[in-house]
Structures are given as C-alpha cells and as structure tokens.
Amino acid sequence: MAIPDDVQEYVEKNIKLMISQTETYLPFIKIAFPYSQNLADGVYNLIIGNALSVFINQYAMRMKYPTSEDFAEFGKFIFKYRDQVDKFFK
C-alpha cells in the first residue's frame, strides 16, 4: 500500500518548513550547542521525529493505521532531506 499523496505532501511541507526554520535559527544553534560533536545529526533527528509524528497523526485523522510498508516508504522519502540538513553545518 502506498502512502496517500495528501499525507506525503503534508509531511513534506512540514519537513520543508522545519528545514527553513533551521536555516533561520542556525546562528543560535551553533552558539547554544558548542560541545555537540554532530549538530547535523541532532537537527535531522529532531526534524524527522516531528515528521514521524505528523505522518502518524495524518493516518489517525483518517481512522487508519500505517502498514509496515507505509513506514518503509516514509523512511525512503524522508532520507532525501538528510543532505539538505548536512549542508547547514559544513
């Protein structure tokens, strides 16, 4: 079963919003966490954790449950944002 287009679109809009906010807050992030070894990992994990919550909530609003295939597809389509977050910290 494929992820419904509207669910994927909603999740991706949320991810893009959080990435744009990361760019805005980047000066703060670098100063606030001076001892972090890999800020890109931390920021990516926060963004994807939020996106996962949005993904599950979109299914819940439809009174459905995501299947294991849906979770696998979610993992594939969110991975493309990893490089975008990494670029902020290079």
Side-chain angles (χ1 to χ4, degrees):
M1 176 179 189
I3 296 173
D5 289 340
D6 59 327
V7 171
Q8 183 168 341
E9 180 181 337
Y10 192 84
V11 171
E12 288 192 292
K13 283 182 181 179
N14 180 268
I15 291 170
K16 290 174 184 175
L17 171 65
M18 294 191 72
I19 288 173
S20 72
Q21 288 174 338
T22 299
E23 186 173 19
T24 302
Y25 298 135
L26 197 56
F28 161 76
I29 292 169
K30 288 182 177 181
I31 292 170
F33 304 100
Y35 302 112
S36 294
Q37 297 297 314
N38 192 337
L39 285 174
D41 279 347
V43 170
Y44 179 76
N45 289 339
L46 286 172
I47 290 171
I48 298 312
N50 180 272
L52 179 60
S53 176
V54 169
F55 174 73
I56 292 170
N57 285 333
Q58 286 297 305
Y59 275 88
M61 289 187 336
R62 292 164 176 75
M63 304 284 289
K64 295 182 179 181
Y65 298 100
T67 65
S68 60
E69 291 85 14
D70 294 333
F71 280 111
E73 190 173 332
F74 172 79
K76 289 176 187 174
F77 89 76
I78 61 163
F79 190 72
K80 65 185 173 187
Y81 296 101
R82 177 66 199 177
D83 289 337
Q84 205 170 346
V85 173
D86 276 342
K87 288 178 185 174
F88 290 130
F89 299 95
K90 291 188 179 191

